[in-house]
Amino acid sequence: EIVLTQSPGTLSLSPGERATLSCRASQSVSSSYLAWYQQKPGQAPRLLIYGASSRATGIPDRFSGSGSGTDFTLTISRLEPEDFAVYYCQQYGFSPPYTFGQGTKLEIK
Amino acid sequence: EVQLVESGGGLVQPGGSLRLSCAASGFTFSTYSMNWVRQAPGRGLEWVSYITSGSSAIYYADSVKGRFTISRDNAKNSLYLQMNSLRDEDTAVYYCARDPTRGYWAIDYWGQGTLVTVSS
C-alpha cells in the first residue's frame, strides 16, 4: 500500500498570501495518478488537480500542482477567502488501494 | 448535469448489515467506473472500493475486504455497497464518486454522502 503523508497538518495564512502544501509518497507514484481535492465543512470534496499538475474544469489558475516521484506540491498563489478549507492528495488509478493523504487544513491567520 | 444521490444510510448495531445505493444521472452511467469513499466524523477521506463499468475489475480497501461488496446495475443507473459484519469504526459518511474513466485518473464527481452510524 502506498502511504501519502501531507504536511503541514495545519497551515495558518492570511488572504493574499501564498500557500504551499506538500504530499509525500512512501514509494514512487507516476504523476499521472496523483490528484488533489478541496473539501469545505459539510460539503463533498471537489477535484482541483489531476495528473499532478493539470487543473480540473473551472478551477482558478491561482491553484497549481507540481512534483514527481515521491514529492508533490499544491500551491495557491494568492489566497482568497473561499480557499480556506481542507486539502487532500490521492494516488488513484495505478495501484489499489487508492489512498488519500491525511489532509492539510488551511486556516485563516 | 451529473448527479450522484446516495441513500440507505442509518443506524445499525455492530455485526449488522446495511446496503447503500447511489442513483446516477446526467451521464452515461454504464460507461464509467465508480467508487465508494468514506469519511469518519472529524476525520479524513478513506477510499473504500472501486468497480469498472462492466464490473470486470473490483478492488477494496483492506479495512473492508471480505465484509463489503460493491456492485452495480447499469440498467438502473445504480451503484451499491453491501456492508456486512459492521463495526464501530465503519461509522462514516459514505460518498459515491465517479471516475472520469477516460483522459485522466482522479475522482471527478462526488455525491453528497449518506451517514452510516454503527452503534449499540
Side-chain angles (χ1 to χ4, degrees):
Chain A
E1 174 177 323
I2 298 174
V3 176
L4 299 179
T5 303
Q6 294 185 238
S7 61
T10 302
L11 185 58
S12 299
L13 293 170
S14 301
E17 290 193 295
R18 180 186 186 90
T20 303
L21 287 67
S22 173
C23 175
R24 178 162 290 178
S26 60
Q27 56 188 275
S28 184
V29 175
S30 168
S31 58
S32 298
Y33 304 108
L34 197 288
W36 289 92
Y37 304 88
Q38 177 193 67
Q39 188 179 33
K40 297 180 180 179
Q43 296 185 15
R46 176 174 73 145
L47 176 64
L48 295 176
I49 300 287
Y50 62 89
S53 61
S54 297
R55 278 187 300 277
T57 302
I59 301 304
D61 61 7
R62 65 180 181 272
F63 290 90
S64 63
S66 63
S68 63
T70 60
D71 290 298
F72 298 91
T73 301
L74 175 69
T75 302
I76 311 171
S77 58
R78 295 171 310 279
L79 286 167
E80 297 287 344
E82 62 267 28
D83 298 336
F84 292 92
V86 180
Y87 293 83
Y88 296 94
C89 59
Q90 185 195 23
Q91 63 89 15
Y92 180 84
F94 175 66
S95 176
Y98 299 140
T99 47
F100 290 91
Q102 83 278 19
T104 289
K105 181 180 181 180
L106 180 56
E107 65 176 23
I108 299 177
K109 186 174 182 180
Chain B
E1 178 193 4
V2 172
Q3 286 200 321
L4 300 169
V5 180
E6 303 92 339
S7 61
L11 176 63
V12 61
Q13 292 188 336
S17 298
L18 212 55
R19 188 196 197 205
L20 305 184
S21 299
C22 171
S25 61
F27 64 103
T28 306
F29 178 75
S30 62
T31 65
Y32 285 80
S33 300
M34 298 293 295
N35 295 269
W36 288 100
V37 177
R38 69 184 180 183
Q39 186 169 36
R43 306 294 296 273
L45 300 171
E46 180 185 15
W47 173 82
V48 173
S49 186
Y50 165 95
I51 186 170
T52 53
S53 58
S55 304
S56 60
I58 288 174
Y59 306 122
Y60 297 99
D62 288 346
S63 58
V64 306
K65 201 173 294 183
R67 300 187 299 121
F68 289 12
T69 302
I70 190 172
S71 64
R72 63 192 295 160
D73 185 336
N74 288 339
K76 294 183 178 180
N77 292 335
S78 293
L79 178 72
Y80 306 103
L81 187 67
Q82 177 67 43
M83 304 186 295
N84 298 330
S85 304
L86 283 161
R87 307 167 179 167
D88 291 351
E89 56 265 34
D90 296 319
T91 294
V93 172
Y94 284 74
Y95 294 102
C96 168
R98 193 184 82 164
D99 176 326
T101 310
R102 54 190 64 82
Y104 62 94
W105 291 97
I107 293 176
D108 65 349
Y109 282 94
W110 303 67
Q112 282 306 302
T114 186
L115 176 62
V116 172
T117 303
V118 183
S119 175
S120 54

